[in-house]
């Protein structure tokens, strides 16, 4: 099926300008690499279905993270807290190793993935589908375990207008 188009195609810079004003939550997709926690910061993560619980994340197809998800079939998603700027930056550094040992809790019994210490929430996932498109892959994860911090979820980190930010003013109940 081909969708109708109107006008000229949107150029890359116009698209990027439009996407910069879409606020999104920031997560770290975690896997184990050589027995160590590895984390990639992504802002393209959303729930897919509630029953069964599934999420999707989009990440570069050629990343170590994508390769390890393909090899192990498991990954984690740590929802980063507002005070996780250093963690987010470590996982977003282009072309650099993303070992995050210093930012992760000791592995829990039964956990399938590394969990970022102090994360707002952490989801252990089993990969149930990978769809490649252009230079990215959409990974669908069946959530096998959801872990809240002992003192309850905190304030999440968001990305808006090309910057990491805190959630703003509450305007509706």
């Amino acid at each position: 099926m081909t969708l109708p188009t109107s006008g000229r195609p949107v150029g890359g810079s116009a698209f990027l300008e439009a996407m910069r004003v879409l606020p999104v939550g920031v997560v770290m997709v975690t896997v184990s690499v050589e027995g160590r926690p590895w984390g990639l910061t992504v802002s393209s993560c959303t729930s897919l279905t509630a029953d069964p619980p599934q999420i999707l994340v989009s990440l570069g197809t050629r990343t170590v993270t994508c390769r390890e998800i393909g090899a192990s079939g498991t990954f984690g998603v740590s929802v980063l807290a507002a005070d996780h700027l250093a963690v987010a930056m470590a996982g977003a550094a282009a072309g650099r190793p993303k070992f995050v040992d210093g930012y992760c809790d000791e592995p829990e019994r039964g956990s399938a993935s590394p969990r970022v210490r102090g994360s707002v929430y952490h989801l252990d996932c089993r990969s149930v589908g990978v769809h490649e498109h252009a230079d990215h892959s959409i990974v669908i994860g069946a959530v096998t375990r959801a872990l809240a911090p002992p003192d309850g979820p905190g304030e999440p980190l968001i990305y808006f207008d090309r910057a990491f930010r805190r959630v703003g003013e509450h305007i509706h109940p």
Side-chain angles (χ1 to χ4, degrees):
M1 170 186 215
T2 303
L3 298 176
T5 60
S6 60
R8 295 184 308 218
V10 175
S13 62
F15 173 72
L16 292 175
E17 287 298 310
M19 291 296 96
R20 77 181 252 193
V21 296
L22 176 64
V24 294
V26 181
V27 304
M28 179 166 276
V29 177
T30 63
V31 294
S32 289
V33 175
E34 299 170 3
R36 294 175 59 196
W38 180 277
L40 177 67
T41 303
V42 302
S43 58
S44 198
C45 175
T46 191
S47 63
L48 182 59
T49 60
D51 187 18
Q54 295 182 332
I55 62 169
L56 65 83
V57 294
S58 175
L59 51 141
T61 300
R62 294 183 179 181
T63 62
V64 169
T65 308
C66 195
R67 185 176 61 241
E68 289 299 320
I69 291 171
S72 71
T74 62
F75 64 99
V77 172
S78 285
V79 179
L80 297 184
D83 61 354
H84 276 141
L85 180 59
V87 181
M89 297 298 288
R96 299 183 69 188
K98 294 174 180 26
F99 288 109
V100 290
D101 311 70
Y103 299 114
C104 290
D105 289 327
E106 287 298 316
E108 290 185 27
R109 185 171 174 246
S111 182
S113 60
R115 177 173 68 167
V116 173
R117 185 180 314 106
S119 58
V120 174
Y121 236 92
H122 180 80
L123 304 172
D124 276 336
C125 300
R126 178 177 43 83
S127 175
V128 294
V130 178
H131 305 277
E132 291 184 19
H133 185 74
D135 63 347
H136 274 65
S137 290
I138 297 168
V139 179
I140 298 172
V143 178
T144 58
R145 189 172 181 195
L147 303 165
D151 54 349
E155 181 183 4
L157 183 65
I158 62 169
Y159 192 74
F160 171 72
D161 199 16
R162 296 188 180 125
F164 292 107
R165 301 176 184 268
R166 294 180 177 274
V167 174
E169 176 186 1
H170 186 90
I171 60 171
H172 188 271

